[in-house]
Amino acid sequence: MKQVVSALLGRPGSQKRAGGSGVGEALSLIGVLLVLVLLLEGLTGRFVSQATFTSIAFQLPELGLLTLAMLIPIISGGLNLAITFSANIAGLVFAWVLQWGGGPAAGPEIFVLGVLAALLTGALIGGSMGLVIAYTGAHPILVSLAMMIFLRGLGEFLTRGGDVSGFPPYVVQLGQGSVLGIPIPLLIFILCVAIWAVVLRRTRLGFSTYMLGSNIEATRYSGVDTRRMVTLIYTLSGVMCAVAGIVMLTRFNSVRIGHGESYLLITVLACFLGRVDPFGGFGRVLPVVIALVILQVIGSGLNLLGTNQHLATALWGGILILVMVLRYVWGELALGSFLRAGRTPAPATKGPNQ
Amino acid sequence: MLKSIGATERWLFVVIALICLYLSIATDTFLTLVNLFDILNYSSVNIIFAAGLLVVLIAGGIDISFAVAASVVQYLVAITLAEWGGGNWAIGISLAILFGAALGSINAALIYHFRIISIVVTIATFNLFFGLLMFFTGGVSIYDLPSWLSRRVILFEYETAIGWAEITLPVLAMVFVVFATWLLLRRLSIGRQLFAMGDNPEGARRLGIRIGAMHYLAYGWLGACAGIAGLMQAHYAREIVPNALYGRELEVLAAVVLGGARLGGGRGTLLGAVLGLVLISITQNGLNLLGVSPYAFRMIVGAVILVAISLSSETIAGLKERLRDRRAGAEAAR
């Protein structure tokens, strides 16, 4: 039990000291998940059912793909606030290609072309953001914020706030169909998780991402082209947004600017619950994925309990605060037991700022 | 005089002047007293927000919950006043400042006592405030405000050929808040301590500056400003709508940073923040007068901010330096 609590609350930086390995961490989060499922089953009496799991399996991928898009910038010490609208715009480009190719009569080659166009759009959006961040030294929060305002305006301007639909019938089959009982969006998500895990753990880019998050100047002095890396990181983030946009389009059979806007907070929440360091430099893919499942389970539970949508929004905010507060308190307690030699705990060096 | 103005502010002056020049030639309504006073009345609320946000940015934090907090304050004030049976401006403004500062203190407490990064706290409180507001009000607006609050207060009026040009109460509130913020940042030692903390928190702590108190001051100040802005917006619109201010935070944040305030703290000027907001207000007004679709507003504003960040004086200075380095390197190689 102690490990379960420490997995959820321990500070990301103190992973080594707490003796938790990657696998142990994941197992502990799974423990939290099981406790939560049992709790919800006890509360509602009908939580553990086929319907719940189907709905989670279909909802998880959108949120999950956006979280992956958020994860890499956070590990590199930044943030990408434009994820949801990047996904919307990429979806919009996909929709246009489908419509240009004949709407409901569009063939598979048009579909592939649309996917490529959407991915390219995502890469362009992310890449331009990365270039601005890398070469002007402007803060990622600011740049992605401006990009978010721009993309939202662009999308609203282009669609006049309405829906774009009229796609071939196989599109919605892709979004709502299953292969061997596994929903296709979930398969796409699992594939993307695997790619992200490999990128972060096994490539030069991944290594540089962690180093950038720890100390960008030291990284530059050790011979890494930090500007190129930052540009690449945001480009990849944009591509992942595009994947999320494609999945959203196939699931809803339409594109609407502003869809998934409320996911922004939850992606940040999932990253921090999955023990990614808010200051950058630390974080793994697998714990974040399990944290995502936990959040999705909470979301479905709230839904089953008949919670008002706005109350749910407030609860997400409350949960985020609670997790961070408990994590701090737990960290201080753990630190206190380590330093019982009569010294007061050292003040946090990074401080509460930025 | 010109020397005391920073590079960012001078640059903003030039851009604003160019836009004004273009608009006065392209439209015959822009350069009228009625329109200019309209811009002033409309942007007053945003400038009050901007003054408060500047204090937080200088102290090294960031806040995106203030606009929603202002909506919460509007409701709290309206409900409290209804409970007390009427009230007046003095009570209304005091309550707004009080509630606003209390909401700001929630952010300060979470950021300081639990060492949570400020953007995360304010994303969370943004959702918390907005969710609870929508839940408890059910999204219902308040139209029957006390008569003192909904009656227009005109401070100055002047009849022109196309109608009355008026300056209303929000402008006075704006002048007052900007002056108070100037006093805090430029004339009081606690204001200088805010700069010190934003620039180097650890250094400021070792100098004996009380970091905790500074956090409460900065976020409380923003909260109080947001409270006043909320009351003024309710006065100006003559109604309280729960999501009327939703989304305003991004516009204001972008404008303040455009005016040279640094995310990360320690730098920023009131003049810059006001100019940043004026630029955005005039752009919006101009687009409106030029007959551009309102759907394009945000897009153009976003693009203006993106370009402005990319071309900020800091970037140009950096590029110059790099060019000089390269030239020096080439000469050394020769």
Side-chain angles (χ1 to χ4, degrees):
Chain A
M1 190 62 207
K2 192 182 171 195
Q3 213 191 356
V4 169
V5 180
S6 99
L8 197 62
L9 304 178
R11 276 179 169 174
S14 61
Q15 281 165 1
K16 291 245 162 58
R17 199 170 44 210
S21 64
V23 180
E25 213 173 275
L27 282 178
S28 318
L29 275 169
I30 289 175
V32 174
L33 181 60
L34 285 179
V35 171
L36 200 65
V37 169
L38 288 178
L39 183 75
L40 281 170
E41 172 65 23
L43 275 176
T44 62
R46 58 200 159 92
F47 187 76
V48 183
S49 67
Q50 183 67 35
T52 310
F53 284 105
T54 312
S55 88
I56 290 178
F58 276 106
Q59 281 167 18
L60 182 65
E62 294 165 38
L63 179 60
L65 290 166
L66 287 173
T67 307
L68 292 181
M70 183 64 104
L71 178 64
I72 294 195
I74 290 189
I75 292 179
S76 78
L79 204 64
N80 183 356
L81 295 174
I83 49 171
T84 53
F85 289 103
S86 305
N88 287 157
I89 296 291
L92 195 60
V93 169
F94 185 19
W96 279 338
V97 173
L98 283 176
Q99 283 184 341
W100 166 81
E109 70 283 356
I110 300 292
F111 183 83
V112 173
L113 190 69
V115 169
L116 290 179
L119 293 178
L120 187 67
T121 310
L124 275 178
I125 293 171
S128 50
M129 229 170 358
L131 279 176
V132 173
I133 294 169
Y135 283 90
T136 69
H139 203 291
I141 292 177
L142 179 66
V143 177
S144 59
L145 191 67
M147 185 55 99
M148 171 183 156
I149 296 175
F150 173 69
L151 291 177
R152 177 164 60 188
L154 180 71
E156 281 172 356
F157 175 62
L158 293 171
T159 63
R160 308 277 158 186
D163 282 352
V164 179
S165 54
F167 309 133
Y170 58 82
V171 167
V172 74
Q173 279 166 16
L174 272 177
Q176 300 179 354
S178 309
V179 174
L180 300 173
I182 307 172
I184 292 172
L186 191 60
L187 284 176
I188 296 174
F189 175 55
I190 292 171
L191 183 71
C192 289
V193 167
I195 294 173
W196 244 222
V198 170
V199 165
L200 278 176
R201 280 285 145 193
R202 295 273 174 267
T203 66
R204 192 178 150 78
L205 172 68
F207 187 70
S208 306
T209 309
Y210 285 101
M211 284 191 35
L212 281 174
S214 295
N215 188 335
I216 187 160
E217 276 305 295
T219 313
R220 199 163 65 81
Y221 283 127
S222 60
V224 174
D225 186 348
T226 49
R227 292 211 171 96
R228 209 176 124 240
M229 287 303 164
V230 168
T231 312
L232 261 178
I233 285 166
Y234 284 88
T235 310
L236 272 184
S237 174
V239 170
M240 193 50 86
C241 292
V243 177
I246 294 167
V247 168
M248 279 191 211
L249 180 145
T250 58
R251 211 169 82 79
F252 295 98
N253 208 13
S254 73
V255 174
R256 185 190 184 88
I257 300 299
H259 180 91
E261 202 181 343
S262 60
Y263 284 153
L264 185 63
L265 164 80
I266 310 182
T267 60
V268 177
L269 179 53
C271 286
F272 295 154
L273 192 62
R275 304 193 17 132
V276 176
D277 192 324
F279 297 104
F282 297 93
R284 288 157 174 270
V285 177
L286 194 59
V288 171
V289 172
I290 301 169
L292 266 172
V293 179
I294 292 177
L295 290 179
Q296 196 68 60
V297 164
I298 296 176
S300 300
L302 288 179
N303 208 3
L304 262 187
L305 290 168
T307 324
N308 173 293
Q309 173 216 335
H310 294 300
L311 189 60
T313 307
L315 276 175
W316 287 126
I319 292 172
L320 179 52
I321 292 175
L322 195 70
V323 167
M324 300 301 276
V325 166
L326 287 179
R327 180 168 288 172
Y328 173 78
V329 172
W330 182 264
E332 289 295 288
L333 286 179
L335 203 64
S337 66
F338 270 103
L339 302 173
R340 210 172 289 157
R343 284 199 300 139
T344 47
T349 45
K350 271 186 171 172
N353 293 285
Q354 279 308 311
Chain B
M1 173 66 194
L2 258 176
K3 273 209 174 136
S4 64
I5 297 176
T8 314
E9 288 84 349
R10 254 178 281 166
W11 181 81
L12 274 172
F13 260 128
V14 172
V15 175
I16 291 173
L18 285 177
I19 293 179
C20 284
L21 192 69
Y22 171 73
L23 285 175
S24 357
I25 296 167
T27 70
D28 45 3
T29 39
F30 178 77
L31 204 64
T32 59
L33 215 52
V34 176
N35 186 50
L36 293 180
F37 280 13
D38 261 356
I39 299 179
L40 190 62
N41 289 328
Y42 171 79
S43 25
S44 290
V45 171
N46 281 354
I47 292 180
I48 298 175
F49 278 133
L53 182 61
L54 179 70
V55 176
V56 165
L57 285 176
I58 284 173
I62 191 170
D63 190 336
I64 57 167
S65 69
F66 61 87
V68 170
S71 289
V72 174
V73 170
Q74 289 181 340
Y75 270 85
L76 289 177
V77 169
I79 292 169
T80 317
L81 287 177
E83 197 89 344
W84 291 355
N88 54 40
W89 273 111
I91 298 178
I93 288 191
S94 314
L95 277 177
I97 291 177
L98 198 70
F99 286 133
L103 289 176
S105 302
I106 296 178
N107 283 332
L110 288 168
I111 293 165
Y112 175 67
H113 296 295
F114 299 103
R115 302 279 189 275
I116 315 176
I117 184 170
S118 50
I119 180 100
V120 175
V121 168
T122 53
I123 286 180
T125 49
F126 169 85
N127 283 270
L128 190 65
F129 293 162
F130 188 67
L132 289 179
L133 179 68
M134 292 300 276
F135 178 67
F136 283 114
T137 62
V140 178
S141 310
I142 299 180
Y143 296 108
D144 54 336
L145 298 178
S147 56
W148 57 267
L149 184 57
S150 56
R151 192 182 327 118
R152 296 200 89 171
V153 181
I154 296 165
L155 303 171
F156 171 83
E157 53 186 347
Y158 180 80
E159 192 170 18
T160 65
I162 50 168
W164 285 88
E166 294 166 339
I167 285 183
T168 53
L169 187 65
V171 179
L172 180 68
M174 181 262 284
V175 170
F176 173 75
V177 168
V178 169
F179 178 69
T181 309
W182 175 80
L183 217 55
L184 171 76
L185 291 177
R186 293 282 159 194
R187 285 291 173 270
L188 293 180
S189 85
I190 45 172
R192 306 312 297 172
Q193 293 181 14
L194 283 173
F195 276 94
M197 183 177 87
D199 207 40
N200 185 346
E202 185 58 23
R205 196 185 62 81
R206 292 187 187 184
L207 271 177
I209 293 172
R210 291 168 62 208
I211 302 290
M214 290 296 121
H215 273 84
Y216 281 101
L217 172 66
Y219 289 92
W221 189 275
L222 172 56
C225 288
I228 297 174
L231 199 65
M232 287 303 146
Q233 197 269 342
H235 165 70
Y236 186 73
R238 299 179 186 186
E239 60 183 14
I240 298 178
V241 181
N243 55 2
L245 292 167
Y246 185 96
R248 197 68 79 83
E249 64 280 344
L250 300 183
E251 220 173 283
V252 175
L253 176 63
V256 173
V257 179
L258 200 61
R262 186 170 62 186
L263 280 179
R267 209 167 66 205
T269 62
L270 258 177
L271 181 65
V274 171
L275 286 178
L277 245 162
V278 167
L279 174 63
I280 288 185
S281 298
I282 287 183
T283 311
Q284 280 183 344
N285 178 261
L287 291 174
N288 199 9
L289 294 181
L290 289 171
V292 176
S293 147
Y295 284 111
F297 274 20
R298 272 190 186 148
M299 176 179 76
I300 295 175
V301 169
V304 166
I305 299 165
L306 262 180
V307 171
I309 298 165
S310 315
L311 297 181
S312 67
S313 53
E314 213 170 305
T315 316
I316 291 172
L319 279 177
K320 264 188 199 157
E321 206 166 282
R322 212 171 304 144
L323 268 177
R324 206 179 307 139
D325 281 357
R326 192 164 297 170
R327 211 172 294 152
E331 264 165 32
R334 222 184 290 153

